[in-house]
Amino acid sequence: LLGAVSVVTGANWAIRLTCLGCYLIQFILVKKAVFGITKNEGKALVTSTVMLWSIYPLTNLYNRGALPEFLAFSLLVSLLSCWLLVLSSEGKRKLFYGGYFCLLLSLMAGTHPITAFFGGLCSAVTMALWWFMQPSSRMNRVVGFGILCVASVVFVIELAPWIDAYFAFNKQLPIAQALGRNAYHAGVDEWWVRLFPLPMDYRTLIGGITVPTPNLDTQINIPLLGLVAWSLWENRCAFMSRSWFRDGAVWGTLVCLFVFGAVLYASISPKGELLATSIFKYFQIAYRMTNYANLFLFLAACALFRVRVNVRDAEHRKANVGYAMMLSVAGCAMLLKLVNGSIAWRQAQEFGY
């Protein structure tokens, strides 16, 4: 697809337009999905914006040069948002979002196999949770199940060549032989670095831009974590109620937060032997898990938004202040990553690119 676009625009503009298009699709679908749950324009705008300004995806774009991973994860966020829209829609709109979901899944699987593999696992967890949480008629469930079956067939067909090639040649691939566990990097995979609110690479602070892959910022989405924390406080009555275990949204929140904590722990602790030496070793590098920690934070926020409580006007005003702070932190992080990108661009010019 990129090659076809580049025939008209040239390679540089093809890449720029593709990145911009993926981010635009992600912003629109996340905003629609959250608004469909909350009916709150401000909350939908804040959630979609802080997801867009996550630090690690911008590191993939500007510093690691991991364009396939950047695009695939943006498509993953978009397709999960599209699945929420499938479940909340009726009639022809459900079929429209279902077809769009299959298309996004196909593009994601063909863009980056590792993201497709782990994204598929995340999608399965999400679909199961929302199937349990979303009340709907029998006919809507039948249509949703049909869409899911079609998407699964497309996903397996597209990923099958990569899986077959891997098992056929993995013994001859040096990177496969080295996959006894994930690679952890000092100064990058530290808990205080991962939880820092702004882009910060301790190696670059000490060694400057001479270190391998300078400005390798791998922080989780702290503004999104703040949004989840505020929503937990806002819905505290639902979690303190004696009947909390009957609320599917509460269970969905707890499951998403548990997975978030497990993935975050595995991404910063080489002691996580169970995770590091199991199927999770195929992440290859520990900080790649940051994307999935962010993803389950987003899903936890969506599950929390489904908890219906009466919120006082005073708390609405406090929420607006909190949203402004979250957007400010996310905006500062995004601007710092743009500075990092300009440094990488100047370095590339020195080598004649």
Side-chain angles (χ1 to χ4, degrees), residues 171-228:
K171 293 182 180 180
Q172 287 77 42
L173 297 174
I175 190 170
Q177 296 172 10
L179 290 181
R181 59 180 302 152
N182 289 310
Y184 290 83
H185 298 78
V188 174
D189 298 315
E190 312 283 354
W191 68 267
W192 60 274
V193 174
R194 191 76 86 242
L195 297 176
F196 202 74
L198 296 173
M200 199 273 288
D201 177 4
Y202 183 70
R203 305 167 312 129
T204 306
L205 288 177
I206 302 301
I209 61 173
T210 58
V211 300
T213 316
N215 299 309
L216 185 59
D217 305 309
T218 60
Q219 285 73 35
I220 64 167
N221 195 324
I222 295 299
L224 187 60
L225 180 61
L227 181 63
V228 170

Side-chain angles (χ1 to χ4, degrees), residues 19-29 52 74:
C19 293
L20 182 62
C22 281
Y23 253 27
L24 181 61
I25 291 169
Q26 177 185 320
F27 178 81
I28 292 171
L29 289 176
L52 207 64
S74 178

Side-chain angles (χ1 to χ4, degrees), residues 94-273:
K94 180 183 286 288
L95 294 176
F96 169 76
Y97 284 126
Y100 203 31
F101 171 79
C102 294
L103 174 62
L104 291 171
L105 184 66
S106 175
L107 290 173
M108 186 268 291
T111 301
H112 191 243
I114 293 176
T115 302
F117 181 72
F118 288 102
L121 295 178
C122 294
S123 299
V125 172
T126 305
M127 292 167 190
L129 278 176
W130 256 260
W131 198 275
F132 171 68
M133 289 164 50
Q134 181 79 30
S136 59
S137 66
R138 184 175 180 180
M139 180 56 68
N140 280 335
R141 287 183 177 273
V142 170
V143 173
F145 183 73
I147 292 170
L148 186 57
C149 288
V150 172
S152 299
V153 170
V154 170
F155 180 76
V156 171
I157 290 175
E158 192 156 4
L159 208 58
W162 176 76
I163 296 174
D164 179 64
Y166 174 79
F167 283 107
F169 301 106
N170 67 336
K171 293 182 180 180
Q172 287 77 42
L173 297 174
I175 190 170
Q177 296 172 10
L179 290 181
R181 59 180 302 152
N182 289 310
Y184 290 83
H185 298 78
V188 174
D189 298 315
E190 312 283 354
W191 68 267
W192 60 274
V193 174
R194 191 76 86 242
L195 297 176
F196 202 74
L198 296 173
M200 199 273 288
D201 177 4
Y202 183 70
R203 305 167 312 129
T204 306
L205 288 177
I206 302 301
I209 61 173
T210 58
V211 300
T213 316
N215 299 309
L216 185 59
D217 305 309
T218 60
Q219 285 73 35
I220 64 167
N221 195 324
I222 295 299
L224 187 60
L225 180 61
L227 181 63
V228 170
W230 174 257
S231 297
L232 278 171
W233 172 255
E234 201 173 48
N235 298 318
R236 61 192 180 278
C237 294
F239 287 85
M240 295 168 62
S241 170
R242 293 183 179 180
S243 60
W244 65 269
F245 55 89
R246 299 177 185 173
D247 192 336
V250 172
W251 278 108
T253 302
L254 294 176
V255 170
C256 289
L257 288 177
F258 173 78
V259 177
F260 160 73
V263 173
L264 178 62
Y265 175 69
S267 76
I268 59 178
S269 176
K271 295 180 181 179
E273 297 289 341

